[in-house]
Every structure is written in structure tokens, then in C-alpha cells.
Amino acid sequence: MEQTRFDIQFSALRSAIIEREFSELNDRQREAVFHTEGPLLVLAGAGSGKTTVLIHRIINILRFGRGYSCPYAPDDATEEDLLFLREYLRTPTEKNRLRAETLCAVEPARPWQILAITFTNKAAKEIQSRLQRALGEDFARDIWASTFHSMCMRILRRECEAIGYDRSFTIYDTDDQKRVLTAVIKGRRLDDKVFDVRTVAAAIGRAKDNLMTPRMLLQEAQDRYYETTIAEIYKEYARQLRESNAMDFDDLIMKTVQLFQGNPEILERYQRQFHYVLADEYQDTNHAQYVLTSLLAGGYENICVVGDDDQSIYKFRGATITNILEFEQQYPNAVTIRLEQNYRSTQNILSAANELIRNNANRKGKELWTDNGDGTKIRFHRSDTQEGEAEYIAQSILEGFAEGNRWSDYAILYRNHVLSNALESAFKRNSVPYRIVSGLRFFDRAEVRDMLAYLWVILNPADDLRLRRIINVPARKIGNKTVETVADLASRGNTTMFDIISRAGEYDELGRAAAALKKFALMIDDLQKMLEYLPLDEFYEQVMEHTGYLAALEAKGEAEQARIENTMELKSNIAEYAQREENPTLAGFMEEVSLFTDIDRMDADADAVVMMTMHSAKGLEFPNVFLIGMEDGIFPSFRSTENEEDLEEERRLCYVAVTRAKKQLYLTCAERRMMYGRTQYSKPSRFLEEIPEKFVDSNISETQRERQQRLDMRPSAGHQTKRAFEISGGFRKKQTTAKPKIAAMDLKPGDQVDHKAFGHGMITSCMPMGGDILLEITFDQVGTKRLMAKSAMKFMVKK
DNA sequence: AATCCGGTTCTTTTT
DNA sequence: GAACCGGATT
């Protein structure tokens, strides 16, 4: 169709008006927002406003459809409309807004036609809530903004009968999964050293990530004993899950793919529904997720994937960077947009990151820049021991705090959790408040699992797996032997364990245990009745009491206080759910909870230094960041120094870590470090060599450097740029650990002091301790703190 | 059924 | 060095 003069004028006006709506974005970002039709790859560097683009793109699609790039005027548009738009462009008024937007919109999408997939609940929630704010709650609620897993759950709840599942299927988490696997391995009388549950679970998980059925795995095993056995375990495991009408996390994805592949008419329905598909963090997708996304987008092929190949750090859990690297091959008509302007960090930090990641061969290539200015140099500090490293960090933070920073302005990132130990004691010693984002998450804690298991059993007494978990927790004199007898009777009678338990008296085999069993069954019955008339949170309290769980924890005293708190935490989760939901049910809560793993309320309001692994830091930002344990063998981990591919993943992790810092980045390492019970001597991380010296201030002294050079056999002459920790003469010599010539010895209880960070206080006790003095000081503002005199004196004067 | 002892293991993690 | 598991002991 030929464009008329009218079309040209109209569409130009329309584009201009739409463009103005997104004026707060930069050119690249806008390009991504306006490219609505066809495949789009957005390579979004760290801190480049990725989520903002994703959200505005959805807003654009919902408000204007493909209005921005449509070259034609609407059929019924008049000269008067044209004049109206011209006027609206000149002076937009609220009164004219509705008509203008109607004129500018070309086939705007309905909310349920948009699918935005993320990896974490946190990300899904953020997208959902930002869209609700921009578009109104009711409207935005219908957008499919969810994680891969909850999307699959939603689809499967509706369609799973087509693949032979009952709609009420349950989700087995990693823990449930391991229990089943342990039973399978035991049942086959296999050596559980050779077939270690974790390894087997990982193998099965990887198979599912790659959409491989037990049969396919068996075929691939080609008669090799080990592989064949794994495939057989997989087969048995899958059989048991199906029998229990259960799926594990990986099943959610794989079964959805199988559902679609086996039922084209169902697939087509979803393909017709989703006009626009967006996938976030695409570099983290595994093969199954890739196939699923491709299937769902297969109708309109309006697929937009957002990600950063340089931030792919989850290969170990099945992510294939290939998905993003080969997107353009998959869709030859794909458009690629790079977001390289960074709004987070200083140029020094970004340049360091750019130089570092440049050493990776397998990447698309990007160069981050900012107009935030150069900022201060990165600080590099090498200590002799891990204690020295920890002390340096504590002191740096105390100094910063004294200058007015908040504790929460600081984050400490490390390659693995063990590295946090020395730091913890240094922080305790110096009264630096801290918070560790731990490896063990809320829903992995035994007490939380126990309470959830109770709820599962109350909801569905046929759930043998969860029943086994709690039947004797707290102790009810129902031993292992009894449980096995019950299980035996159940399988022979082709019924559930709970059924046997309720009729325990009828079985002689159960002997004296029958009474305890009956009592247990009655308790569950009672709780089921309570569920019918009590509000959910009160009901939960009844479960805690009625089962004796709370009492058992309380009986253990002080030590179990944290566990009690955790079970209470679960209660507040239930209360929160009950309040939010119009029609709250236990089943509804359990459904939600089975996909809700991380405690994504990382309460930002707590003012404390935060410590976490570099992996968990992805997506976060902090004004000041310490990367600790920057030593070869630790980071990069010795496991990954063998092959280039693994090393590149480590380098990406380093890139992720470096780009978390907004203002100041610190890199620290120690010459020797106690790890796993032995002292390890290490060289500074090879990644440090890759950061040009001009971005770094280092503490390495002349003598240290000379020694380093003698020790370091790596040829350095070949390097084109001088590197941060090599001899250059350019480094200032800095006295880092001040020799504490303390006048501290004459401090005594009753003395008044002024502390730079904590203000005025009075010493309440002095205890000699390892060549130093432990002071207890009651401060007017911040309460009582315990400080070591040596370091405290640097921040404190006696009055 | 609870507790103690010795042996073993020790990247990274979301759903 | 610490945490966790399984077997033996009480």
C-alpha cells in the first residue's frame, strides 16, 4: 500500500507524541521500547536500566501497540484529527489526552496477551508492581508477569490432564526429591557412595534441563554401567513421582514442553493468546526453558529477550550461554540493541570491568560507559593473613561510617561462604553491625520444612512422603521400624500410610505402637476439622501447639530460640497471604509457598553491612563494595582454572561483582589463609592482572613487590599494560595497618570517651585479652558495645 | 530412642 | 575448622 501525504503527516505526528511519552529514556532504550514487532535481542549491560526498558516496552505495547512505527493513518482518520494531534504535540493537556492516545494507538495489546518471564519471584513481583503503578492495578493484573515455574504451574494446573496428571498435583522440592531418590537407591541395593544422592539428583536434573526422558538417557548410556544405572534410577524416580501425582521443579518446565509438543491444539491456544513474549535474564535459560520460550512465542514471533552474555554465571545449574549467543541465528530477522550506558557506577569501575571482560573470547562484545565521571580509583589491598584482611575491611568501614556513611552502604562479596568467617569475627570485635545473606535459606530450614510438612499432611493425608517426615517429630515413640511396617502394610493393601495408621488397631504387626499411631491419626483429624472454621493464621498456631512442635522447641531452651522465630516467620507469611487474598485457602497458600523459595524481602531498612556471595549479588548495587579473597585458586576457583570455558565463567562472575559498586570498589586478598583446616599460600588473583594499573590504588609496598617478583615466575614483560600489582614505581606507599601505639593501657572503667562513629560514651569494663584490651563501652546514642582497645583508639579520644 | 564419636566433606543456587 | 552423617553405644 502506498503511503499518502496524509499518512506521512499523521504517522510523523503520532511517532513524535509517543516518543515524548518515553522522553526519560535514552536513545538505545527507546529503540528497544519501540521495536514491538518481530524478534528482538536486547543486550543490556550491568546497570543499564534493563528492567526499566522491559517495563516501558510493555507499557508502550499496551498503550500504543505498534503505533510508533506504523506508516499509515487509521482508515477513519480525518484532517481534523491531524490538526488535533498537531495541537496536542504543541501543548498537551490532560483534557485532550484520551483522544490523542486513542488516535496514536495501533492495535494496542490487551494485558493478557503479554507474557513476561523472569527467573526469580522478586523480579516478577517488581515488574508486576511497577506495571500496576503505571497502568492501574486492575488492568495490569492480567499481564502474565511470572517466573518460568509459576507460569508452568499455571498452565499445568489447567492442562495437565492431557498428560495424565491429576489437577491437584503437588510440587516436590529439592528435599522431597532427595528423600525419594535415597529410597530408590536403597531399594536397588546400590552403593550410596558410588550413587551419591546429590550426584544422582544433579544428573537427573541435567537430563530434565535437556528434555531427556529416562528412555533417552538409557539410550545415551550405551550399556555403560554407571550411566545405565543412573538412567534406571531416573526411570524409577519418575515412576514414583507420577504415582504420587507429584512433580519436581524441573518437571514443571519439562512437562509443559511435553504437553505442548504432544498436544498441538493446546499449544496453539497459548500461541494465539500471547501476542508478545518477553524473557528476562535470557543468558540464564537452560535448554528446556529455551525450547519453552520458543514454543510460546511461536505464534506471532514477537519475542523479546533481554540479557547480558557477560553476566552468565549459572552454567553449573544448566544455563547455556548459547541461547543468547545464537538468538540471531535462530531468528535471522532479529534486531539487536545494545544498552551500554550505565547509570550505576563511576567510569573507573566501568573501565576496569570493560578491560577485565575483554579477556573473554566467547562473547558478543559490549563497552560500558557513563557520564557519572571517573570517580575515585579502585583500592587494592593485600594483607598477610585473612585476619589482616578482615581488620582492614572493618577499619575502612568504620572510617567511612565516621565520615557519615551508613553501614548499609557497604557490601562484602566473596566467591564462597567460608570466606565470611574471619570477617564475622572482625565485625563482632569492632561492633560493626552486619548481615549475612546465607546459603541456607528460610524455606530450607528444618523447622520450616517440618511445619510445612504438617500442613501438607493435613491438606492431603495421602502424602506419604511428608507424613514420614513428621510422624515422629517431635518424638512420639513411633520408631523407624514401625514406620516401615506401616509403609509395608500400605503397599500390600494398596492404600496410603495414613489409612493404615487410622486403623492401626486392626493390625497385629503394629503391636504396641498402634496406640501411638492412632493418637497421631486423631491429631491430624482434629486439625483438619479446625481448618474448616479457623482463620488460616490461627489455624497455623493450633498446628504448632496441637502437634507439640512448639512445646518441643521450647523445651530445648535458649538454643532453639531462632527456630521458634523461624516458625513464627512462617506464620507471618500465612497471615500476609490471608490478608492479601480475597478467598484464602490452605491449598492456595501451599501452592504459593511451593514456588516461593527465597526470602526476597532482603529488608533494606536494616542498617547493616551486608555480606553475600558474588552469585547472590547479581542484580544488586551498593555504594561501596569489597571483593575479598581475590586470590588465585579461590577466585578464580582452582576447579575452573583447568579449562578456558570455566575460567571465562569465573571472569564473568568477577565482572558481575565489580559492576555492583556505585562509588568505591575495594579488592582485597591475603598472602596466606586458613581454609578447610590448612594454611594456603596464594598469589593475587589473575583477574587483578587484567585490570590496568591506572584505575587502581594499591598498598603493595616496594619490598613486598620485590619479593612478589621473585616468587612470581609468570613472565610479566609481555604485558602491554602495566598491571595493578606488578612493579611500576607508580604506587604510593601506604601505611595500611597502623601500629597501635596505644595509650590505651590507662583506660579504666568510668572513663568518658568520644568515639568518631558511636559518639559519647562511658567505659564500663576493661578485660585484658590476647595482648589487647576488650573494652565495654556504654554509648549515649547506640547502646553498649564491645571494642578492642587497639582498633578503637583510632576512632576514640579520652575526655 | 537419644546421644556420642569418628569419619568425611568442603564452590556457586533458583524454583 | 566446622558441619553433617552414620554407626555404635548407652
Side-chain angles (χ1 to χ4, degrees):
Chain A
M1 194 165 87
E2 194 72 27
Q3 238 186 327
T4 64
R5 220 180 104 79
F6 184 73
D7 283 331
I8 294 172
Q9 288 181 340
F10 193 98
S11 56
L13 273 173
R14 184 166 55 196
S15 304
I17 289 170
I18 295 174
E19 197 154 348
R20 187 176 55 197
E21 290 293 313
F22 297 94
S23 56
E24 74 265 43
L25 303 178
N26 69 38
D27 291 352
R28 292 285 89 70
Q29 292 176 326
R30 261 201 303 271
E31 222 178 293
V33 166
F34 295 145
H35 189 275
T36 59
E37 312 304 300
L40 172 67
L41 169 62
V42 180
L43 290 173
S48 64
K50 178 193 69 166
T51 312
T52 304
V53 166
L54 210 70
I55 285 162
H56 282 96
R57 192 167 180 276
I58 294 175
I59 293 173
N60 178 44
I61 290 169
L62 288 168
R63 278 172 63 190
F64 303 110
R66 45 187 193 84
Y68 181 83
S69 50
C70 175
Y72 305 110
D75 287 342
D76 54 357
T78 61
E79 281 295 331
E80 204 266 319
D81 290 334
L82 195 69
L83 289 173
F84 173 82
L85 285 185
R86 193 164 291 145
E87 175 54 28
Y88 185 75
L89 182 61
R90 201 172 307 130
T91 40
T93 62
E94 195 48 42
K95 174 167 78 67
N96 288 341
R97 209 179 66 119
L98 188 66
R99 182 174 167 203
E101 289 207 2
T102 314
L103 281 171
C104 287
V106 178
E107 294 168 18
R110 306 299 301 147
W112 60 85
Q113 294 169 333
I114 293 184
L115 172 65
I117 320 172
T118 65
F119 270 87
T120 63
N121 292 314
K122 191 177 162 194
K125 224 185 241 173
E126 193 194 341
I127 292 180
Q128 185 62 244
S129 69
R130 277 172 73 171
L131 285 172
Q132 289 193 0
R133 239 177 298 147
L135 300 163
E137 253 178 68
D138 288 338
F139 187 77
R141 221 197 316 267
D142 292 333
I143 299 167
W144 283 56
S146 68
T147 63
F148 269 105
H149 292 87
S150 59
M151 168 187 81
C152 289
M153 175 101 105
R154 194 166 162 188
I155 294 172
L156 287 170
R157 280 271 180 250
R158 215 187 293 171
E159 320 283 354
C160 66
E161 278 159 3
I163 49 167
Y165 274 79
D166 186 279
R167 284 188 184 209
S168 64
F169 67 87
T170 62
I171 307 295
Y172 278 4
D173 62 29
T174 339
D175 192 76
D176 303 328
Q177 185 183 25
K178 287 203 175 123
R179 279 160 186 271
V180 177
L181 277 175
T182 312
V184 173
I185 293 167
K186 265 213 185 114
R188 301 193 146 237
R189 310 199 179 279
L190 292 164
D191 183 347
D192 60 3
K193 286 266 171 354
V194 182
F195 296 96
D196 152 78
V197 203
R198 288 175 47 196
T199 324
V200 175
I204 294 177
R206 219 193 42 222
K208 290 185 179 178
D209 286 348
N210 289 313
L211 298 173
M212 297 193 47
T213 60
R215 187 194 298 263
M216 288 157 80
L217 200 63
L218 190 65
Q219 193 151 44
E220 205 193 55
Q222 298 204 332
D223 295 331
R224 279 168 302 193
Y225 169 72
Y226 187 76
E227 285 79 359
T228 307
T229 313
I230 297 266
E232 281 165 359
I233 298 173
Y234 177 18
K235 189 176 174 193
E236 174 62 15
Y237 169 77
R239 195 189 63 76
Q240 286 202 23
L241 257 63
R242 176 167 288 253
E243 203 156 86
S244 318
N245 200 32
M247 296 193 203
D248 64 23
F249 290 131
D250 300 320
D251 281 335
L252 286 174
I253 315 285
M254 181 165 166
K255 302 278 181 201
T256 310
V257 170
Q258 289 175 339
L259 168 84
F260 285 153
Q261 287 177 338
N263 302 272
E265 70 293 346
I266 297 178
L267 172 62
E268 215 176 291
R269 229 168 53 224
Y270 285 91
Q271 286 182 333
R272 269 202 304 269
Q273 178 184 338
F274 296 127
H275 289 220
Y276 297 93
V277 174
L278 301 92
D280 192 15
E281 303 279 16
Y282 197 65
Q283 77 282 353
D284 289 339
T285 47
N286 61 37
H287 177 69
Q289 288 159 338
Y290 155 81
V291 171
L292 181 58
T293 317
S294 307
L295 283 172
L296 285 167
Y300 291 85
E301 291 215 337
N302 293 329
I303 177 173
C304 166
V305 304
V306 183
D308 182 357
D309 49 328
D310 291 333
Q311 291 191 67
S312 165
I313 54 172
Y314 285 116
K315 183 177 159 215
F316 68 90
R317 65 177 201 215
T320 52
I321 193 172
T322 344
N323 293 344
I324 197 164
L325 292 178
E326 289 176 1
F327 186 80
E328 287 152 311
Q329 274 102 290
Q330 189 190 354
Y331 300 101
N333 59 334
V335 167
T336 302
I337 294 172
R338 284 177 166 74
L339 304 180
E340 293 171 299
Q341 180 173 5
N342 173 294
Y343 295 94
R344 178 186 294 153
S345 312
T346 66
Q347 189 60 51
N348 266 331
I349 292 168
L350 297 179
S351 300
N354 284 334
E355 291 301 321
L356 175 84
I357 202 66
R358 193 191 296 274
N359 293 288
N360 272 11
N362 203 12
R363 66 190 287 253
K364 292 257 178 196
K366 256 188 292 77
E367 200 60 19
L368 293 177
W369 61 276
T370 183
D371 51 24
N372 288 347
D374 284 349
T376 48
K377 286 192 179 180
I378 294 165
R379 277 191 220 157
F380 173 66
H381 185 272
R382 188 176 192 203
S383 327
D384 44 359
T385 64
Q386 57 193 340
E387 286 76 22
E389 181 187 39
E391 192 58 30
Y392 166 75
I393 293 166
Q395 296 307 326
S396 306
I397 293 178
L398 277 170
E399 268 172 53
F401 186 83
E403 285 160 12
N405 289 338
R406 291 155 42 95
W407 301 117
S408 55
D409 290 339
Y410 292 90
I412 294 156
L413 311 182
Y414 31 79
R415 177 64 237 260
N416 50 216
H417 289 291
V418 267
L419 281 271
S420 67
N421 291 342
L423 222 34
E424 236 184 308
S425 18
F427 283 177
K428 277 186 186 144
R429 196 166 54 232
N430 288 293
S431 286
V432 173
Y434 65 90
R435 202 159 39 89
I436 294 184
V437 176
S438 95
L440 193 60
R441 285 176 312 278
F442 182 67
F443 285 93
D444 289 338
R445 288 169 208 276
E447 60 277 14
V448 176
R449 291 227 112 96
D450 287 342
M451 287 315 296
L452 288 174
Y454 271 111
L455 298 178
W456 280 119
V457 171
I458 292 165
L459 202 59
N460 172 23
D463 194 334
D464 288 353
L465 188 82
R466 269 78 173 235
L467 183 127
R468 275 167 177 269
R469 183 180 177 107
I470 42 96
I471 190 161
N472 201 32
V473 181
R476 297 193 177 87
K477 305 232 185 275
I478 302 174
N480 240 327
K481 215 174 137 268
T482 308
V483 173
E484 288 317 314
T485 313
V486 171
D488 233 48
L489 287 168
S491 74
R492 268 189 284 142
N494 206 12
T495 178
T496 65
M497 288 173 69
F498 190 79
D499 184 42
I500 303 289
I501 292 168
S502 346
R503 300 183 285 111
E506 300 169 22
Y507 299 93
D508 293 342
E509 298 93 314
L510 294 171
R512 277 185 301 146
L517 291 172
K518 276 230 66 169
K519 205 171 148 209
F520 177 82
L522 278 175
M523 175 189 79
I524 298 293
D525 282 341
D526 282 350
L527 287 168
Q528 281 177 330
K529 284 186 198 109
M530 286 187 210
L531 177 59
E532 282 167 28
Y533 58 86
L534 284 179
L536 275 186
D537 51 334
E538 278 176 47
F539 162 75
Y540 176 80
E541 242 169 68
Q542 284 303 315
V543 178
M544 284 189 62
E545 278 177 30
H546 223 65
T547 56
Y549 199 88
L550 184 62
L553 283 184
E554 280 168 346
K556 289 195 177 169
E558 198 75 349
E560 305 300 322
Q561 198 51 46
R563 293 181 186 277
I564 296 178
E565 277 165 27
N566 286 331
T567 55
M568 289 321 244
E569 182 76 47
L570 187 57
K571 186 192 158 193
S572 58
N573 271 300
I574 294 180
E576 188 269 326
Y577 163 82
Q579 213 163 50
R580 162 165 48 87
E581 216 64 22
E582 267 172 48
N583 184 20
T585 62
L586 182 59
F589 176 73
M590 295 310 280
E591 167 133 328
E592 191 172 290
V593 105
S594 60
L595 291 186
F596 189 93
T597 44
D598 82 289
I599 359 149
D600 31 60
R601 50 189 160 65
M602 189 189 91
D603 52 323
D605 29 303
D607 187 20
V609 175
V610 54
M611 303 191 229
M612 65 179 97
T613 63
M614 296 177 180
H615 279 92
S616 343
K618 186 158 160 239
L620 305 176
E621 58 176 37
F622 307 89
N624 310 290
V625 170
F626 290 87
L627 305 186
I628 72 169
M630 298 293 291
E631 290 141 47
D632 239 50
I634 293 176
F635 188 43
S637 142
F638 70 95
R639 286 162 214 270
S640 47
T641 49
E642 290 293 303
N643 76 67
E644 198 52 30
E645 211 182 306
D646 288 345
L647 187 65
E648 290 206 350
E649 173 131 328
E650 294 280 292
R651 193 177 281 112
R652 289 192 292 268
L653 182 59
C654 188
Y655 175 80
V656 167
V658 165
T659 53
R660 297 310 96 195
K662 293 164 89 168
K663 280 166 35 200
Q664 181 69 60
L665 178 66
Y666 298 82
L667 307 169
T668 68
C669 65
E671 232 176 296
R672 57 178 194 278
R673 179 185 300 274
M674 227 354 194
M675 254 180 113
Y676 304 133
R678 40 195 318 195
T679 303
Q680 242 185 312
Y681 289 77
S682 327
K683 294 189 296 189
S685 167
R686 65 188 72 187
F687 295 148
L688 294 168
E689 287 181 69
E690 297 172 0
I691 298 176
E693 166 207 336
K694 61 182 174 199
F695 305 125
V696 184
D697 256 346
S698 165
N699 83 317
I700 294 198
S701 72
E702 204 69 45
T703 42
Q704 268 179 312
R705 253 184 287 126
E706 278 163 20
R707 200 166 41 134
Q708 182 60 42
Q709 226 192 18
R710 259 186 288 112
L711 290 173
D712 191 355
M713 300 314 285
R714 305 158 61 97
S716 59
H719 288 295
Q720 290 174 335
T721 333
K722 285 183 183 170
R723 301 302 178 179
F725 75 98
E726 290 168 8
I727 285 204
S728 70
F731 294 135
R732 269 183 300 134
K733 226 179 198 173
K734 266 201 284 189
Q735 200 65 49
T736 48
T737 21
K739 277 154 245 147
K741 285 270 178 297
I742 18 170
M745 294 307 159
D746 50 46
L747 288 174
K748 57 187 184 306
D751 285 353
Q752 306 279 321
V753 293
D754 255 325
H755 191 282
K756 257 170 122 181
F758 304 129
H760 177 263
M762 190 180 76
I763 298 177
T764 50
S765 92
C766 300
M767 265 194 308
M769 196 174 276
D772 200 344
I773 301 172
L774 176 68
L775 304 172
E776 206 173 79
I777 309 176
T778 305
F779 290 101
D780 302 350
Q781 309 296 325
V782 292
T784 303
K785 300 234 177 246
R786 297 167 144 224
L787 302 171
M788 296 312 290
K790 277 186 188 172
S791 50
M793 283 314 286
K794 279 186 267 168
F795 299 97
M796 207 166 75
V797 291
K798 194 173 150 185
K799 288 231 291 201

